[in-house]
Amino acid sequence: MAEAKKVQEQDLNQLLKVRREKLSELQSAGKDPFQITKYDVTHHSRDIKENYDALEGQTVRVAGRVMQKRVMGKASFCNVQDLKGNIQSYVARDSIGEESYKDFKKYDIGDIVGIEGEVFRTKTGEISIHAASVTLLSKSLQILPEKYHGLTNTDLRYRQRYTDLIMNEEVKDTFVKRSKIISAIRRYLDGQGFMEVETPMLVSNAGGAAARPFETHYNALDEDVKLRISLELYLKRLIVGGMERVYEIGRVFRNEGVDTRHNPEFTLMELYQAYTDYHGMMDLTENMYRYVAQEVLGTTEVPYGDQIIDLGKPFERLTMVDAVKKYAGVDFDQVADTEAAKKLADEHQIEYEKRHTKGDILSLFFEEFCEEKLIQPTFIMDHPIEISPLTKKKPDKPDYVERFELFITGREMANAYSELNDPIDQRERFKAQEAALAAGDEEANTTDEDFLNALEIGMPPTGGIGYGIDRLVMLLTNSPAIRDVLLFPTMKSIDK
């Protein structure tokens, strides 16, 4: 086995050497492809195929990567891949000239070429370009994975996304859809009167979510700063300032583990709307999800794994207490206090910490028994106050808050509040978070005095929500892991 691998490596090194020799020959002959600065492209492959009747016999110019090549004496075929697909070209010595044809025969799979010629259909019916000229635009000095097996090593695919995009058409389609999803979200919100804004990524107080921040040092000010974990507190400042409907789509950073649902940097969208509440956020979310699916996929019935997720039907709405009652058979409305809740947790083999109260344990029950059951779109409402430090209390049930999370395919997709705008209550919540931090909760918030000052100036009743954009893209592209929808996911250094 070791000997075979050694021979394979020697063969590969020889092939790479040949490519460099070909480049050297071109450069010596004054044909260095890296000296070419531009090539005027008139059409892409799919445009030609979709508009063949109008383009038949017309001269076009395409550019892309040579993915296949068949040399047959005085005439050859090659297949060129561009942004929108691939197209065949017929390359004949008598059409492009003897010297050019001699050069063409030496081109390698992976080289980038420009082809000018007439559109025609071959005897077998394949729409093609009859080349009048072929220009080498870039020489590939590496060897692409073998075409029919593609690039299948998952770790290598993520590390070398550029090769993954070349070899796996469905990967490129995922990222084209990702762009369309974000564009559709913007169109929807712009149509609802929202304004897109940008807020700081480097902050002195990383609040607005339960997460451990990344920390760094700002040399110019000689201050320690953090990378934001959320967009919330700055966007709420804008609501205070009179911007009634704002949203931001941007990267946030959480110093946490990596798995199929989590990446330490990810794309979050948060929006805030004055004079509405969490019910308004539910309606907006339901409508936006339908709009985006219809715009990008042309349907509201979305395949995911072996399920069809129906975004067209009204989303189910359950309180967290009712969800635990439905799926775990435990009614927390009948649980008297923290001691009784901990006894229930012991009976159901749910681990908890000494500092946890009844509300924390309700949340642990929900995570254990309910989340994975929520396949079709479901709003889980009315969370315990202990896990919701920035949310308005329910007037008739002050141990709970006006909050919801949207679950689809067993995953949290969005998190929304009727925003807390009482500065006195907010200060007390921050104090409770400080106490949790002192007790060992590394994800607890710290007091943000400037934010409290903004609340004291006055924030109107407001609904707010955060969406995990990557998870939405996973849903609409039928992708099982977050790394499949991040162009360059976080990877451990190859040297470690």
Side-chain angles (χ1 to χ4, degrees):
M1 180 70 75
E3 186 63 30
K5 186 176 180 181
K6 184 177 179 182
V7 170
Q8 190 179 34
E9 287 177 353
Q10 288 173 344
D11 290 345
L12 179 60
N13 289 336
Q14 181 59 33
L15 290 171
L16 294 174
K17 182 181 176 185
V18 168
R19 291 198 176 207
R20 280 164 172 75
E21 288 172 351
K22 288 180 180 180
L23 174 62
S24 182
E25 288 174 11
L26 288 166
Q27 290 171 331
S28 297
K31 299 176 181 178
D32 185 353
F34 299 124
Q35 295 297 315
I36 295 175
T37 58
K38 62 177 293 190
Y39 187 83
D40 292 326
V41 175
T42 63
H43 295 78
H44 283 94
S45 53
R46 188 191 305 156
D47 303 330
I48 294 169
K49 292 177 178 180
E50 290 178 350
N51 298 282
Y52 175 73
D53 290 344
L55 290 172
E56 183 182 13
Q58 300 296 312
T59 297
V60 297
R61 289 165 63 94
V62 300
R65 192 178 298 275
V66 177
M67 298 301 289
Q68 290 176 272
K69 187 161 163 271
R70 302 191 304 280
V71 176
M72 302 176 296
K74 298 178 182 179
S76 302
F77 285 94
C78 70
N79 188 283
V80 173
Q81 177 176 294
D82 62 16
L83 173 68
K84 297 185 179 181
N86 59 77
I87 193 164
Q88 178 177 270
S89 178
Y90 173 69
V91 183
R93 184 190 68 181
D94 294 344
S95 298
I96 69 170
E98 190 167 342
E99 185 178 350
S100 292
Y101 189 66
K102 184 179 177 182
D103 289 341
F104 170 80
K105 288 197 293 183
K106 294 181 181 179
Y107 294 168
D108 292 305
I109 301 300
D111 287 350
I112 297 174
V113 299
I115 295 178
E116 180 175 0
E118 289 186 4
V119 177
F120 78 110
R121 196 187 290 272
T122 65
K123 290 179 181 177
T124 59
E126 184 166 355
I127 295 170
S128 306
I129 299 171
H130 189 143
S133 68
V134 180
T135 306
L136 182 63
L137 302 174
S138 183
K139 182 69 187 167
S140 176
L141 300 179
Q142 279 286 355
I143 296 171
L144 293 175
E146 197 273 319
K147 174 177 167 48
Y148 293 102
H149 294 96
L151 182 61
T152 55
N153 181 305
T154 302
D155 187 75
L156 189 60
R157 285 181 50 225
Y158 296 144
R159 290 185 188 279
Q160 295 187 12
R161 184 65 87 186
Y162 41 89
T163 310
D164 192 23
L165 290 165
I166 293 167
M167 300 307 300
N168 297 315
E169 187 176 347
E170 69 279 7
V171 171
K172 185 184 290 184
D173 181 60
T174 292
F175 290 104
V176 169
K177 281 181 179 166
R178 181 186 177 105
S179 179
K180 290 180 178 178
I181 288 165
I182 293 173
S183 293
I185 290 170
R186 285 191 165 105
R187 283 196 302 277
Y188 179 79
L189 292 178
D190 292 349
Q192 298 295 311
F194 282 84
M195 181 171 68
E196 185 173 11
V197 298
E198 293 176 304
T199 61
M201 289 190 183
L202 288 173
V203 296
S204 57
N205 188 327
R212 186 190 303 175
F214 287 93
E215 299 181 6
T216 187
H217 186 77
Y218 191 0
N219 291 335
L221 297 180
D222 192 24
E223 287 183 0
D224 291 334
V225 292
K226 301 177 178 70
L227 287 170
R228 67 187 181 186
I229 60 173
S230 153
L231 313 174
E232 179 167 347
L233 300 185
Y234 280 98
L235 291 176
K236 283 182 177 178
R237 286 168 167 91
L238 299 181
I239 295 292
V240 170
M243 295 182 174
E244 295 181 1
R245 299 188 184 204
V246 293
Y247 74 96
E248 180 174 6
I249 300 173
R251 280 293 173 103
V252 297
F253 309 87
R254 299 183 181 180
N255 200 347
E256 300 170 342
V258 176
D259 59 30
T260 57
R261 302 186 189 191
H262 298 92
N263 195 70
E265 55 174 310
F266 63 97
T267 303
L268 181 65
M269 181 178 80
E270 292 196 28
L271 64 84
Y272 293 85
Q273 179 179 340
Y275 311 114
T276 191
D277 62 3
Y278 73 143
H279 292 289
M281 292 294 100
M282 283 187 230
D283 294 340
L284 182 146
T285 298
E286 212 170 314
N287 291 333
M288 187 181 78
Y289 265 64
R290 288 194 193 109
Y291 175 88
V292 172
Q294 190 67 48
E295 283 281 294
V296 176
L297 305 179
T299 179
T300 55
E301 294 188 352
V302 179
Y304 191 82
D306 57 1
Q307 302 278 347
I308 297 295
I309 306 303
D310 192 346
L311 300 176
K313 288 182 180 177
F315 294 7
E316 186 176 6
R317 303 186 181 196
L318 279 176
T319 67
M320 186 176 283
V321 168
D322 286 343
V324 169
K325 188 175 178 181
K326 179 177 179 179
Y327 294 109
V330 176
D331 185 357
F332 266 76
D333 279 342
Q334 303 304 314
V335 177
D337 52 26
T338 294
E339 184 179 347
K342 288 182 175 178
K343 184 180 178 185
L344 276 170
D346 293 335
E347 292 171 1
H348 288 81
Q349 289 81 51
I350 290 179
E351 294 183 6
Y352 56 87
E353 297 176 27
K354 184 178 179 180
R355 63 182 175 82
H356 282 154
T357 63
K358 174 185 169 183
D360 294 303
I361 291 169
L362 167 62
S363 179
L364 293 172
F365 264 85
F366 173 77
E367 290 172 8
E368 179 68 26
F369 292 104
C370 305
E371 283 193 13
E372 66 181 16
K373 308 278 196 347
L374 304 176
I375 304 302
Q376 296 299 327
T378 305
F379 291 118
I380 296 297
M381 309 180 295
D382 301 352
H383 293 50
I385 194 168
E386 292 90 333
I387 62 169
S388 311
L390 298 166
T391 318
K392 273 193 173 183
K393 296 175 185 175
K394 290 183 67 66
D396 58 339
K397 213 172 183 182
D399 289 341
Y400 296 87
V401 296
E402 294 192 349
R403 174 184 175 188
F404 75 78
E405 291 173 292
L406 171 63
F407 285 86
I408 306 176
T409 68
R411 294 171 177 162
E412 179 201 336
M413 306 294 287
N415 184 20
Y417 307 155
S418 294
E419 301 297 334
L420 180 62
N421 62 344
D422 178 345
I424 298 170
D425 190 355
Q426 181 64 78
R427 184 174 291 279
E428 292 304 310
R429 307 277 191 101
F430 275 140
K431 281 183 183 177
Q433 286 287 296
E434 297 271 11
L437 185 67
D441 184 355
E442 295 179 336
E443 296 184 345
N445 286 192
T446 55
T447 302
D448 187 328
E449 288 293 347
D450 183 72
F451 176 65
L452 288 171
N453 184 63
L455 289 187
E456 288 177 358
I457 287 173
M459 186 174 86
T462 298
I465 187 166
Y467 299 90
I469 295 297
D470 307 305
R471 291 187 183 180
L472 174 56
V473 176
M474 288 168 66
L475 173 66
L476 297 185
T477 60
N478 199 1
S479 299
I482 192 170
R483 287 181 173 185
D484 294 324
V485 300
L486 297 175
L487 279 167
F488 301 102
T490 300
M491 304 289 289
K492 187 173 184 178
S493 172
I494 213 161
D495 299 326
K496 292 191 177 180

